Amino acid sequence: MKNPLILISSGRYMDTLSIARRQSELYAACLSAAGGAGVIYSGASSAMLADRCDGLLLAGGGDIHPTRYGQSCACCQLCIDSVRDEEEQALFDSFFARGKPVLGICRGMQAINVFLGGTLQQHIIGHANCCHTIHCTGWLAAQLGGNATVNSYHHQIVESIANGLEAVAFAPDTSVEALVHPSAALLGVQWHPERMVPSICEDVLGANHLPLFSWLCAHC
């Protein structure tokens, strides 16, 4: 589809007078470079938005509440927002039911896994505010190479993979770095590709992860 409209999930925070929304401008910049247009979610019916928008980008952010995947809080959780969890579950269900593509980034990949029945490991060391190599397989290897260096801003990882999803990238410690669905347009990556596109943001010099945003636009 030419010039697809992509809904970008948003974080919530308490402003002076009300709850406010915010999200990195880098997502919209990358979608624009890939031929699409991003709009930030600020409420409204998930079904209506799924009817009007062509794809969904589940963005990065704080931790998903462990009760969503059948666990109690085992460690200090970062920026849990149960309302956002609920909103994103509804958005995911609406877009997925309509066969529309979904790209999950960092928290967004974890959310896809949880929403489909998978679980998370609540804390891991060595993945926060750093860069590391990953090994890619399949389509992802064709886009990024068999081995790539990515940024890393998370402290939780996929524990059990949801039924229907397949892991296609791994960190050196064998933790899952990317998930795909073999028959639906679902893709999740644990790193932040919006920070790895030349002329937009370059956490890793020379890397270009615009193909991930092009994948989303192309599947609309």
Side-chain angles (χ1 to χ4, degrees), residues 12-211:
R12 302 165 67 251
Y13 70 102
M14 181 59 72
D15 202 354
T16 305
L17 298 177
S18 66
I19 295 291
R21 302 270 180 170
R22 64 182 172 190
Q23 196 47 273
S24 171
E25 291 184 355
L26 296 178
Y27 295 114
C30 291
L31 289 170
S32 178
V39 292
I40 295 180
Y41 174 77
S42 60
S45 161
S46 61
M48 179 190 72
L49 290 167
D51 285 338
R52 295 193 177 190
C53 295
D54 305 304
L56 174 65
L57 193 160
L58 292 174
D63 296 345
I64 299 165
H65 201 291
T67 57
R68 289 242 159 212
Y69 47 94
Q71 297 181 15
S72 59
C73 291
C75 65
C76 179
Q77 306 295 309
L78 301 178
C79 302
I80 280 181
D81 183 348
S82 295
V83 173
R84 181 176 181 181
D85 294 344
E86 183 176 351
E87 290 174 342
E88 290 189 340
Q89 173 86 69
L91 290 171
F92 175 80
D93 290 346
S94 294
F95 278 81
F96 186 51
R98 288 161 175 75
K100 294 190 174 183
V102 180
L103 171 62
I105 292 176
C106 199
R107 167 197 162 92
M109 184 193 84
Q110 296 174 4
I112 290 172
N113 188 57
V114 168
F115 296 159
L116 291 175
T119 65
L120 305 178
Q121 182 176 325
Q122 293 187 41
H123 187 67
I124 187 172
I125 60 173
H127 284 252
N129 301 314
C130 65
C131 293
H132 61 73
T133 59
I134 58 171
H135 176 68
C136 304
T137 63
W139 174 87
L140 196 61
Q143 302 301 311
L144 305 181
N147 295 293
T149 299
V150 298
N151 54 30
S152 189
Y153 295 103
H154 61 101
H155 80 111
Q156 297 188 329
I157 58 172
V158 167
E159 184 176 60
S160 64
I161 300 173
N163 289 335
L165 296 179
E166 298 177 357
V168 292
F170 303 88
D173 61 6
T174 74
S175 60
V176 174
E177 287 282 326
L179 293 169
V180 298
H181 193 288
S183 59
L186 296 182
L187 170 63
V189 297
Q190 188 60 78
W191 62 92
H192 279 263
E194 79 280 7
R195 300 189 60 85
M196 298 179 63
V197 176
S199 80
I200 294 176
C201 186
E202 293 187 79
D203 278 1
V204 179
L205 190 64
N208 185 1
H209 288 210
L210 186 63

